[in-house]
Structure formats: structure tokens, C-alpha cells
């Protein structure tokens, strides 16, 4: 697969060339392979996209919910039919392994179907009134024009879980995906357009951070949903708060796996490896810290070292690859620099090594690594979100100490607890302050029908996914109705 796609934008139902700077989208496994190129959007393109969304809102918001749902179902069928093809494009464009990429497209189709079905659920409530002859209704209405800014690491499923509920509940959208994944964004928009989405309801503007800034600053945007770093998310939230614009942010994570002395070690090793190394660790829910009880630490680390060393690193589209590249050279260099600094304070359990052999030497590869960090100076491997296949390990003497270290972070997104003791599992649910708790499974996992999100530095605003999604994409009105 060597074709280069012309990068375009969907504005008011038309695929157009942007007026901004030239963008070049490369294959992170083989950066000489140009995946897409073309001008990004500029401020004028954003203005046209917002105007189109505003003009389309009145009609789309009054379209019967079942008709809106039919568009989502149609798009889901299109995505599912193209899962293999679009998954291959995703692997080539973003660097996720082919198996993960195909599964992501299929999952995105299921998210579309879920939210198509969700509008069939009750969308309001009736209350008794203290006044004779009166009823009190609580009804839900769409918010308006939504600005959506999505990341590179799940270029199909994260847009699905933002855009699908927004559309299902009658909102219109101006969407800026990450610069690294324009092709998958175009495929997503094409599926909706082919399924009959009216012109102007979804507007796609590819581009640099300046495009996202223009969306956030635009006076006709009614709410913004964002997934990305905590630093950027908080800056956006502060800017929007000054204007009273609602914000939903799914932000960073520094997720821990706690392996207690009664854990099934074989299960724990496999789930830690899956949580840490799939998608090359480029997940907000990735396992990047491991806390292990000292009674089983040596056995656990020996097995984890063996499992880590066996992970196959290589071209994302090749068969049998478990760890693909990081998304670009800057990400690779940032992680490698942190690993170099770690040599001054941490003990390598599995030492990292630059990937410089064979035909993939040009790619943005960072092999998986595991470091044991000291209590006195756990360093950035323990504190900072590196977004790479790197695990920092600490030992503890008790479950209570382990629970404390799980929360030893500015973030609070996800955690995994490995134990065969039900009492300890229940204690973890009570003690650990994160938004997602996994017991005996990897930290990196989220189902489409339940709320997703964290606390502290990991989230701002209402949760995503499941029925929680309606809390951001609708507003309520309380109606006092007399006959």
C-alpha cells in the first residue's frame, strides 16, 4: 500500500481543499512512505465550517430521533464493511498494529450502533406537581454547535464516541482530528455522508493546532469536547470558562497495576504486558506504573522481563507484530530522552535499545522496557505521562501501601488490581481514586456502554460513553405544564 491520499476537508457537504499550510502525513513505520498530503484548513475554513453547522442546526435538531439514528446505523454498516481496508489504512497512518487497527474500526461501528439505539430510550421525565392540574416535565434538548478535537491514538473509535452521541441528540459539529490521522478522519466523515447525513451537520477541518485554537475561540461554538494532554485541556477549559462555554475533557493518565501477593502471576504478567505495550503504550489508559508486593516481586519481574523481551517490534502492517512505532519522530525522541535520563536513577529490568537494525531503521520505534525505580527518587518514569512502551516498577510490603501508591499521581484515570482475594478487590474499589478500576484485567480497556473518564488531572466535565454521553450533548429544560 503506497498510494498517497489528497488531504481534504468536509465543509457544508462539499469536499474542499484548505487554505492553510501544506500538511504531510507519513507512515511512522516507514516515514519515507507519504500517506496523505495537502493544504490544511485556515481560519476562513473554520469560519465557513462553523457557519455551515449553525445553519444546519435548526433542521437537524428537529429531525426525528429515529431518522437521525438511521444515519448512524447506515454509517456503522459502511464502517463494518470496510473494517479490513480502513484498518490497514489506520495501521499505516498511525502505527497501531494491523490486528488492533481492524478491531478499532469494527469497534467504532459498534459505537455508532449503540448511540443510534440509545435515542430510543426515554429522553425525559415526568414529575408530580404540588399544584392541581399541573405536571412537571424535564425534557432534553441538543446543545447546538459542538467543537470536537480528537487525538491520534484512536483515530476512529474516539471520534465515534464523541460524534455519534452528539449527532444522535441533534447537535451539529465542527471537528478537528489530530494532524497525524487525516485519512481515517476522512473515512469516518465519508461513512456518515454516504449514509445520508445532511450537508453542514458534520464539518471536518484538518490542520495544525491553530485550527483547534480557532474552533475553541469561535463565538458561535456552543460547547467543546476534547481528548488530549492535561496541559492543553486545562488551557482550553480556562479559555472557554471565561466565556461560559461548556467543556468536556478526557485528559492524561499515569495508570498503575497493583500485583498483590495472592495474585495469579501468569495472568498478571500477561495483562500488564497487554496494558503497557499495545499501541506502543500510546493510550491514556496504558499501564505505565506497576506496584508489586515484595513477596512475589522477584518472580513477577522475571516473568515480565521474559514476556517483554519476547514482544515483537516492527512494521505495524506486518503479521505477528505486537508493538508498532510511536506516532512521529518527536514522540520517539522524547521517550528515548526520558529513558536516557532514567539510567541515572533507575534499574533496568528490561533495558531499552534503539531500533536500528534491518529495513525498518527509519521508523519511529521504541522497544518495550521495564525499570525498577527507587522510593527515594522515582523520577519522571513514575510521575510523567511518557506515552510510550515504558513501565516503572516499585515494590510494597502490604496491600494498604499498594493502594496508596496507586494514588501517588497527579492523574486518576485507570488502575488494575491483581488479587484472588475478594475482600482485597472490594477494598481496592473503595480505596483507589480513579475513574476506571479493573480487577484482574489490564488497565487499558473501556466498553462502549458504560461511563468512561477519570478524576484529578485526568478529566474535566461530564464523563464520556454509554448513557453518560447525553449529559454533555444535551441540556435539560424543566417544564411546568397546566392543561
Amino acid at each position: 500500500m503506497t498510494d498517497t491520499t489528497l488531504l481534504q476537508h468536509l465543509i457544508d457537504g462539499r469536499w474542499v481543499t484548505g487554505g492553510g499550510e501544506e500538511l504531510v502525513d507519513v507512515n511512522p513505520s516507514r516515514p519515507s512512505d507519504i500517506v496523505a498530503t495537502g493544504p490544511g484548513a485556515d481560519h476562513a475554513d473554520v469560519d465557513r465550517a462553523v457557519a455551515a453547522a449553525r445553519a444546519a442546526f435548526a433542521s437537524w435538531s428537529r429531525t426525528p430521533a429515529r431518522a437521525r439514528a438511521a444515519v448512524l446505523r447506515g454509517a456503522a454498516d459502511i464502517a463494518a464493511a470496510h473494517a479490513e481496508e480502513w484498518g490497514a489504512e489506520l495501521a499505516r497512518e498511525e502505527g497501531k498494529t494491523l490486528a488492533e487497527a481492524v478491531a478499532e474500526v469494527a469497534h467504532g461501528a459498534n459505537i455508532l450502533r449503540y448511540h443510534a439505539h440509545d435515542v430510543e430510550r426515554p429522553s425525559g421525565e415526568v414529575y408530580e406537581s404540588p399544584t392541581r392540574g399541573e405536571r412537571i416535565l424535564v425534557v432534553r434538548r441538543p446543545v447546538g454547535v459542538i467543537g470536537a478535537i480528537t487525538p491520534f491514538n484512536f483515530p476512529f473509535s474516539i471520534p465515534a464516541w464523541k460524534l455519534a452521541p452528539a449527532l444522535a441528540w441533534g447537535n451539529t459539529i465542527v471537528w478537528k482530528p489530530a494532524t497525524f490521522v487525516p485519512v481515517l478522519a476522512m473515512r469516518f466523515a465519508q461513512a456518515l455522508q454516504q449514509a445520508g447525513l445532511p450537508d453542514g451537520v458534520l464539518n471536518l477541518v484538518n490542520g495544525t493546532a491553530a485550527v483547534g485554537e480557532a474552533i475553541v475561540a469561535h463565538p458561535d461554538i456552543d460547547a467543546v469536547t476534547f481528548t488530549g494532554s492535561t496541559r492543553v485541556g486545562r488551557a482550553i477549559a480556562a479559555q472557554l470558562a471565561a466565556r461560559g462555554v461548556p467543556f468536556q475533557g478526557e485528559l492524561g493518565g499515569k495508570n498503575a497495576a497493583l500485583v498483590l501477593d495472592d495474585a495469579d502471576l501468569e495472568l498478571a504478567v500477561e495483562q500488564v504486558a497487554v496494558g503497557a505495550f499495545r499501541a506502543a503504550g500510546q493510550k491514556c489508559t496504558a499501564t505505565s506504573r506497576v506496584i508489586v508486593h515484595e513477596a512475589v516481586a522477584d518472580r513477577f519481574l522475571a516473568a515480565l522481563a521474559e514476556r517483554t523481551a519476547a514482544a515483537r517490534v516492527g512494521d505495524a502492517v506486518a503479521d505477528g507484530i505486537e508493538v508498532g512505532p510511536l506516532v512521529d519522530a518527536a514522540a520517539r525522541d522524547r521517550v528515548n530522552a526520558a529513558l536516557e535520563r532514567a539510567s541515572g536513577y533507575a534499574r533496568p529490568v528490561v533495558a531499552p535499545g534503539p531500533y536500528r537494525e534491518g529495513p525498518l531503521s527509519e521508523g519511529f520505534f521504541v522497544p518495550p522496557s521495564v525499570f525498577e525505580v527507587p522510593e527515594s527518587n522515582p523520577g519522571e518514569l513514575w510521575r510523567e505521562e511518557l506515552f510510550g512502551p515504558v513501565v516503572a516498577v516499585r515494590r510494597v510490603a502490604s496491600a494498604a501501601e499498594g493502594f496508596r501508591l496507586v494514588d501517588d499521581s497527579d492523574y486518576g484515570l485507570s488502575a488494575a488490581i491483581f488479587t484472588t482475594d475478594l475482600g482485597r478487590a472490594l477494598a481496592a474499589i473503595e480505596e483507589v481514586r480513579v475513574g476506571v478500576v479493573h480487577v484482574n484485567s489490564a488497565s487499558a480497556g473501556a466498553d462502549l456502554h458504560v461511563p468512561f473518564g477519570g478524576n484529578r488531572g485526568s478529566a474535566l466535565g461530564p464523563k464520556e460513553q454509554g448513557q453518560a454521553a447525553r449529559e454533555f450533548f444535551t441540556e435539560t429544560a424543566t417544564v411546568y405544564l397546566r392543561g
Side-chain angles (χ1 to χ4, degrees), residues 198-219:
D199 294 350
V201 175
L202 172 65
N203 301 273
L204 167 66
V205 281
N206 284 293
T208 63
V211 174
E213 292 165 2
I215 292 171
V216 170
H218 203 287

Side-chain angles (χ1 to χ4, degrees), residues 141-158:
R141 305 180 298 204
V143 172
V145 178
I146 305 294
I149 301 173
T150 59
F152 74 85
N153 57 336
F154 287 92
F156 205 85
S157 61
I158 288 181

Side-chain angles (χ1 to χ4, degrees), residues 132-337:
R132 183 182 297 274
E134 180 178 73
R135 288 292 183 270
I136 302 174
L137 313 180
V138 177
V139 298
R140 289 187 178 273
R141 305 180 298 204
V143 172
V145 178
I146 305 294
I149 301 173
T150 59
F152 74 85
N153 57 336
F154 287 92
F156 205 85
S157 61
I158 288 181
W161 79 49
K162 291 180 184 292
L163 274 53
L167 294 171
W169 289 100
N171 300 279
T172 57
I173 300 167
V174 178
W175 171 32
K176 181 217 169 306
T179 310
F180 304 114
V181 288
V183 173
L184 265 294
M186 291 169 62
R187 299 292 177 254
F188 192 96
Q190 287 165 357
L192 286 163
Q193 189 180 43
Q194 291 167 19
L197 190 70
D199 294 350
V201 175
L202 172 65
N203 301 273
L204 167 66
V205 281
N206 284 293
T208 63
V211 174
E213 292 165 2
I215 292 171
V216 170
H218 203 287
D220 252 0
I221 292 289
D222 295 309
V224 173
T225 179
F226 167 86
T227 296
S229 74
T230 300
R231 177 185 62 80
V232 174
R234 285 177 170 173
I236 292 172
Q239 182 179 347
L240 293 172
R243 305 193 337 254
V245 177
F247 174 73
Q248 177 188 59
E250 200 282 292
L251 310 177
K254 191 66 177 173
N255 312 291
L258 172 59
V259 181
L260 294 175
D261 54 344
D262 64 331
D264 179 332
L265 292 188
E266 183 177 353
L267 171 70
V269 166
E270 181 60 25
Q271 292 300 302
V272 166
V274 166
F277 304 139
R278 282 190 181 169
Q282 297 174 119
K283 297 181 181 182
C284 59
T285 56
T287 303
S288 58
R289 297 183 296 139
V290 173
I291 302 149
V292 58
H293 194 286
E294 60 187 13
V296 296
D298 288 342
R299 284 187 291 144
F300 172 83
L301 290 177
L304 180 61
E306 183 178 353
R307 174 66 177 81
T308 302
R312 290 190 62 198
V313 180
D315 190 326
V317 301
D319 291 336
I321 296 300
E322 186 174 3
V323 184
L326 298 191
V327 73
D328 72 342
R332 176 200 61 197
D333 295 346
R334 183 186 67 251
V335 173
N336 279 335

Side-chain angles (χ1 to χ4, degrees), residues 277 308 311 313 323 350-353 366-370 389-390:
F277 304 139
T308 302
V313 180
V323 184
V350 177
V366 176
S369 60
V370 181
V390 181

Side-chain angles (χ1 to χ4, degrees), residues 260-434:
L260 294 175
D261 54 344
D262 64 331
D264 179 332
L265 292 188
E266 183 177 353
L267 171 70
V269 166
E270 181 60 25
Q271 292 300 302
V272 166
V274 166
F277 304 139
R278 282 190 181 169
Q282 297 174 119
K283 297 181 181 182
C284 59
T285 56
T287 303
S288 58
R289 297 183 296 139
V290 173
I291 302 149
V292 58
H293 194 286
E294 60 187 13
V296 296
D298 288 342
R299 284 187 291 144
F300 172 83
L301 290 177
L304 180 61
E306 183 178 353
R307 174 66 177 81
T308 302
R312 290 190 62 198
V313 180
D315 190 326
V317 301
D319 291 336
I321 296 300
E322 186 174 3
V323 184
L326 298 191
V327 73
D328 72 342
R332 176 200 61 197
D333 295 346
R334 183 186 67 251
V335 173
N336 279 335
L339 295 175
E340 180 66 27
R341 289 190 292 271
S343 64
Y345 63 87
R347 181 185 74 82
V349 177
V350 177
Y355 194 90
R356 294 177 180 151
E357 298 178 0
L360 301 182
S361 58
E362 64 170 327
F364 308 135
F365 296 95
V366 176
S369 60
V370 181
F371 284 83
E372 190 166 0
V373 297
E375 180 179 354
S376 59
N377 177 29
E380 65 185 310
L381 295 191
W382 185 261
R383 299 288 182 202
E384 305 297 329
E385 185 180 35
L386 297 182
F387 235 53
V390 181
V391 171
V393 180
R394 290 175 68 175
R395 303 183 187 219
V396 293
S398 67
E401 186 182 358
F403 296 154
R404 180 184 65 80
L405 282 188
V406 169
D407 286 338
D408 182 33
S409 173
D410 294 332
Y411 302 98
L413 181 53
S414 183
I417 313 297
F418 293 92
T419 179
T420 55
D421 185 317
L422 178 59
R424 282 176 158 181
L426 293 173
I429 295 169
E430 293 291 329
E431 296 291 334
V432 173
R433 292 189 58 236
V434 297

